[in-house]
């Protein structure tokens, strides 16, 4: 009985952490970009503007829940729900600290990959149901981008799996007690980092919603809460990418004992999130075909070579 | 000035080569009438049936050749009083040609009678005649025979009448109150629907159905209200049609109802990033008509502020250029710099973006005490910042991937399409009005003309970044060598008129009163003094009928010509390239539509 209660608390707290963390991240990102861009960013609501997210949420919740008359109603509504669901579900397998984590799947890594793959449906459904030309272009870009980046995202992780000898993420973390995998798997780390940014459609891989080309891309027709779900889904996916990198390459919760394990996990994740924000502030956006060429011609061979080399070394 | 192709600067700001008239008369056997214009631009009248052959002769046979069709416009002559020895005409079509080799302009006029407003189209000779002729058709109802598609360009397709005709009302109060009901709204919207067949486009080809995408009139990257209808095969732009006119405010018509002086603030808003740079060609043309010589100090102040605004405009261009390619941050750094320079401009003129500070005969005030301190601070600070931007944007590999070799055109194409300014120099063609036909004392400054080599998006941005550095050099020279003396000419037609002597006798008091209330009556004549504005060559072709306002104000803006080239530049590119191309052109819609 007690174990069940702990588990329920675990689930609820993590879910809240993920959703609120993502919401808070929108504010953190805007503030940080502001600082890096010689301006303030949102600084009016609450201390240092930290309640900006509350204001944003109220605004989005109060908006008319509108479906364009020309849209495919059912799919239009389902799409943002999928977007939100898959990333939150993927979060379930992430072990944050000993005893903290929703579920301990022995195929945790595969579950994560499966969930992120499903994310493409949200974008495609949203784009298709919108019946809007900009959304269509955004949806096409998203489908192509996510499907191709998926390929080497999976491949880049196989090196880690070989080294740890397990798909269970908790075991992957424990296997790093002697040294983080970022050292032997540096190439894998880089590839996964980029693929993760691409999966969450962030600059420089934000082509599906490239504001300057496609207005808002696949979510052009979305507003109010449904837009917020797409938006939040992306921020959850940023958190998730950062958390996954922490688990797979940075030794998860492992760290010197003067901080509790959970704190180490959160610190590492936060540092990765910040670096992703910094990338957004610094880089321009490649063209769609250049992005594809980059993926297939550079990243995929790199991931394969990395896999081969790791395999050879493991066998030796 | 010399007619040969040497690059000697031309000190007197002569904008035409008088010898060309003799040259044309020997080559061209038809009857020609010569007109004397205040600006000294050689002006010839020719019959409608011979204009095509004369233009072809100017383009191909004259030495040096008049290779650029600089402007095509018209004048409604029906109520003009002072026409002296000009041929009888109801509507006059005016062609202005520019010889880049000879550094000279040439004006050709054709008289048309109201009964037969038809003239040959020049689209085959110069591709950029297309939009100019469509605009003339909109504004005056002149038919251009052989034009591929005289569809309304500036005015809505549903518009009745021709706005620049003298019998068309200029004020809303001259018309019935305007209202729009739902039915009419639908009609107007339907009229804006893009019909591919109208532009000779196929909806399908053998293997594919094309998608037609309206980019604009509201789109984050079209820099205002501008529409490009794209014919897409996947993400590839097969063809496109640029549609302008959404920002049209009738600036030329307003010129006919404002007094000479009160029109100055309107000019600020033509190229709204150019501020006082827009005042310059206007006041220079008015001064030419009035015969005012501007004192040296005023000229130097004008150059200094004009260069400040060149920097302001290039800043914004550069920031939005990076932003449109997806780089988020540079525009914020650049806005901080802009803010600082606006502070300087504000401390000198009292205004920021649109100070309207130049006056007929000089500038509005003398420079304030200590004017150079903040300006010097800015000039000292900028080079390091520019190096930073160079590294951040121009040296970035993704930016290079996105812009090198994209939207390319060569010098010949540029000249054919009437491209001037940075867009022309990016192709490696060394032509800057400030060097070639100096005005306002530009011959006295030491500066270089940055050139590109490929004529692609990257070079267009690079040229402008370098131009900021050169403008800083010019400003430094203005600070170091600011002449003393009056800031406005001693002349009875300056505005506002000098007041000192009006206190001494009644005649000058009366004149002061008249000139302040109605504005100065400018002697009849025609003048057009082009300048190298922020985006290319900008000019005001002013026709005075001897009254307190202009009879015809023709604003030739560089952006208009540049936008016309978009379909040519975008063919076969991707949607994202189209954005890079649009970002690299450096235009504002107010400058296009006027």
């Amino acid at each position: 009985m007690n174990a069940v209660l702990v588990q329920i608390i675990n689930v609820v707290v993590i879910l809240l952490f993920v959703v609120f963390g993502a919401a808070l991240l929108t504010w953190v990102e805007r503030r940080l970009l502001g600082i890096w861009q010689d301006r303030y960013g949102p600084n009016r609501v609450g201390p240092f503007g930290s309640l900006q997210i509350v204001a944003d949420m109220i605004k989005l919740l109060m908006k008319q829940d509108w479906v364009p008359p020309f849209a495919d109603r059912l799919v239009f509504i389902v799409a943002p729900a999928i977007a939100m669901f898959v990333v939150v579900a993927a979060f379930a397998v992430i072990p944050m600290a000993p005893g903290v984590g929703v579920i301990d799947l022995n195929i945790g890594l595969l579950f994560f990959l499966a969930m992120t793959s499903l994310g493409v449906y949200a974008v495609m459904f949203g784009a298709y149901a919108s019946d809007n030309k900009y959304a269509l272009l955004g949806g096409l870009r998203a489908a192509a981008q996510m499907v191709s980046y998926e390929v080497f995202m999976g491949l880049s992780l196989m090196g880690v799996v070989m080294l740890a000898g397990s798909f269970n993420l908790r075991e992957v973390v424990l296997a790093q007690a002697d040294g983080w995998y970022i050292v032997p798997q540096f190439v894998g780390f880089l590839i996964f980092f980029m693929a993760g940014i691409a999966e969450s459609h962030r600059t420089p891989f934000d082509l599906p919603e490239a504001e300057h080309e496609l207005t808002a891309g696949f979510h052009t027709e979305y507003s109010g809460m449904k837009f917020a779900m797409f938006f939040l889904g992306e921020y959850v996916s940023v958190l998730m990418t950062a958390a996954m990198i922490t688990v797979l390459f940075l030794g998860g919760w492992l760290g010197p004992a003067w901080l509790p394990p959970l704190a180490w996990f959160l610190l590492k994740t936060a540092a990765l999130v910040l670096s992703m924000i910094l990338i957004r502030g610094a880089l321009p956006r490649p063209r769609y075909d250049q992005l594809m060429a980059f993926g297939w011609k550079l990243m995929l061979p790199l991931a394969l070579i990395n896999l081969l080399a790791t395999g050879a070394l493991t066998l030796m | 000035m010399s007619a040969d192709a040497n690059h000697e600067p031309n000190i007197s700001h002569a904008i035409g080569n008088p010898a060309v008239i003799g040259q044309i008369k020997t080559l061209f056997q038809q009857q020609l009438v010569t007109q004397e214009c205040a600006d000294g631009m050689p002006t010839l009248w020719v019959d409608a049936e011979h204009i095509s052959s004369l233009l072809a002769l100017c383009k191909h046979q004259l030495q040096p050749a008049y290779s650029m069709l600089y402007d095509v416009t018209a004048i409604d002559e029906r109520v003009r009083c002072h026409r002296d020895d000009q041929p009888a005409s109801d509507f006059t079509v005016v062609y202005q040609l520019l010889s880049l080799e000879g550094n000279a302009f040439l004006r050709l006029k054709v008289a048309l009678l109201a009964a037969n407003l038809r003239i040959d189209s020049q689209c085959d000779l110069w591709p950029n005649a297309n939009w100019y002729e469509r605009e003339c058709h909109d504004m005056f109802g002149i038919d251009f025979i052989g034009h591929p598609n005289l569809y309304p360009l500036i005015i809505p397709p549903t518009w009745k009448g021709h706005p620049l005709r003298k019998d068309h009302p200029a004020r809303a109060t001259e018309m019935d109150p305007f209202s729009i009901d739902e039915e009419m709204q639908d009609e107007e919207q339907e009229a804006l629907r893009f019909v591919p067949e109208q532009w000779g486009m196929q909806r399908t080809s053998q293997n594919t159905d094309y998608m037609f995408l309206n980019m604009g009139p509201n789109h984050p990257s079209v820099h205002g209200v501008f529409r490009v209808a794209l014919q897409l095969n996947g993400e590839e732009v097969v063809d496109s049609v640029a549609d302008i006119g959404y920002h049209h405010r009738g600036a030329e018509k307003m010129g006919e109802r404002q007094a000479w002086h009160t029109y100055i603030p309107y000019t600020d808003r033509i190229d709204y990033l150019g501020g006082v740079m827009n005042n310059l060609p206007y006041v220079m043309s008015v001064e030419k008509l009035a015969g005012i010589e501007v004192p040296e100090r005023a000229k130097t102040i004008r150059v200094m502020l004009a260069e400040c605004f060149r920097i302001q405009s290039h800043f914004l261009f550069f920031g939005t250029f990076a932003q449109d390619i997806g780089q988020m941050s540079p525009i914020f750094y650049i806005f901080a710099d802009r803010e600082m320079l606006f502070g300087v401009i504000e401390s000198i003129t009292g205004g920021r973006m649109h100070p309207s500070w130049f006056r007929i005969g000089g500038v509005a005030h003398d420079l304030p005490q200590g004017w150079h301190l903040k300006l010097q601070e800015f000039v000292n600070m900028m080079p390091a910042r520019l190096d930073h931007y160079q590294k951040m944007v121009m040296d970035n590999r993704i930016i290079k991937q996105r812009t090198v070799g994209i939207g390319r055109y060569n010098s010949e194409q540029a000249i054919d399409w009437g491209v001037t300014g940075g867009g022309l120099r990016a192709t490696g063609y060394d032509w800057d009005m400030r060097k070639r036909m100096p005005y306002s004392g530009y011959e006295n400054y030491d500066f270089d003309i940055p050139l590109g080599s490929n004529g692609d998006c990257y070079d267009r941005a690079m040229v402008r970044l370098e131009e900021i550095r050169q403008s800083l050099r010019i400003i430094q020279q203005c600070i170091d060598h600011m002449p003393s003396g009056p800031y406005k000419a001693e002349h009875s037609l300056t505005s506002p008129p000098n007041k000192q002597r009006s206190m001494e006798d009644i005649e000058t008091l009366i004149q002061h009163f008249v000139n302040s209330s109605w504005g100065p009556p400018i002697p009849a004549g025609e003048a057009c003094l082009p300048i190298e504005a922020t985006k290319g060559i900008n000019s005001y072709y002013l026709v005075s009928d001897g009254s307190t306002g202009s009879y015809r104000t023709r604003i030739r803006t560089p952006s208009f010509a540049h936008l016309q080239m978009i379909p040519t530049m975008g063919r076969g590119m991707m949607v994202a390239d189209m954005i890079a191309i649009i970002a690299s052109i450096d235009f504002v819609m107010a400058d296009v539509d006027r």
Side-chain angles (χ1 to χ4, degrees), chain B residues 259-453:
Chain B
W260 295 102
H261 173 65
T262 59
Y263 189 61
I264 295 174
Y266 287 91
T267 65
D268 274 48
R269 286 145 182 90
I270 298 301
D271 164 10
Y272 54 71
L273 299 175
V276 298
M277 179 81 90
N278 294 289
N279 303 160
L280 192 54
Y282 176 74
V283 293
M284 281 197 332
S285 300
V286 179
E287 283 154 7
K288 198 66 157 182
L289 284 170
I292 300 172
E293 265 303 316
V294 181
E296 280 307 313
R297 184 177 174 84
K299 280 187 182 174
T300 313
I301 296 174
R302 283 178 175 183
V303 165
M304 184 172 80
L305 280 160
E307 291 303 322
C308 283
F309 271 100
R310 189 186 309 281
I311 293 178
Q312 289 291 41
S313 169
H314 284 8
F315 269 162
L316 196 90
F317 158 78
F318 194 70
T320 49
F321 171 76
Q323 196 185 33
D324 286 349
I325 297 172
Q327 202 171 21
M328 189 187 183
S329 301
I331 190 145
F332 292 106
Y333 303 128
I334 277 156
F335 261 76
D337 297 338
R338 262 170 75 79
E339 198 54 38
M340 182 170 177
L341 187 51
F342 274 139
V344 178
I345 291 168
E346 190 179 6
S347 67
I348 292 175
T349 67
R352 285 163 57 84
M353 273 185 83
H354 305 134
S356 315
W357 201 58
F358 293 176
R359 295 289 181 270
I360 300 166
V363 294
H365 306 279
D366 207 349
L367 293 171
Q369 272 189 358
W371 58 272
H372 57 278
L373 298 174
K374 279 174 82 179
L375 191 54
Q376 186 65 58
E377 200 183 314
F378 175 81
V379 172
N380 291 344
M381 181 198 80
M382 270 328 287
R385 303 268 299 180
L386 290 175
D387 291 344
H388 185 49
Y389 300 145
Q390 162 96 29
K391 204 171 150 197
M392 179 165 43
V393 182
M394 301 316 287
D395 294 347
N396 184 300
R397 277 171 58 192
I398 301 181
I399 294 262
K400 282 187 181 167
Q401 262 183 20
R402 285 287 310 275
T403 55
V404 173
I406 303 297
R408 243 178 118 160
Y409 53 76
N410 58 29
S411 307
E412 210 171 291
Q413 283 173 302
I415 293 165
D416 260 355
W417 285 97
V419 173
T420 51
L424 177 61
R425 292 189 287 272
T427 65
Y429 198 93
D430 182 7
W431 209 92
D432 188 308
M433 192 114 195
R434 294 172 294 172
K435 287 278 189 199
R436 295 309 190 91
M437 303 159 87
Y439 52 91
S440 201
Y442 268 110
E443 63 275 12
N444 304 322
Y445 298 87
D446 183 20
F447 62 102
D448 298 324
I449 302 302
L451 294 178
S453 51

Side-chain angles (χ1 to χ4, degrees), chain B residues 1-3 15-21 23-24 40-44 54-70 95-108 125-126 415-416 437:
Chain B
M1 69 160 288
S2 56
I15 55 166
N17 172 12
V20 75
I21 295 184
Q23 212 188 342
I24 291 177
M41 194 185 290
T43 304
L44 291 169
L54 180 56
L55 285 169
L57 180 141
C58 292
K59 186 178 180 185
H60 298 302
Q61 276 170 275
L62 284 188
Q63 278 306 326
Y66 283 77
S67 47
M68 185 183 281
L69 181 65
Y70 174 73
Y95 297 85
Q96 279 194 42
L97 309 183
L98 169 59
S99 169
L100 295 161
E101 299 88 37
N103 305 328
F105 284 93
L106 172 64
R107 190 181 287 137
L108 302 174
L125 197 54
W126 276 290
I415 293 165
D416 260 355
M437 303 159 87

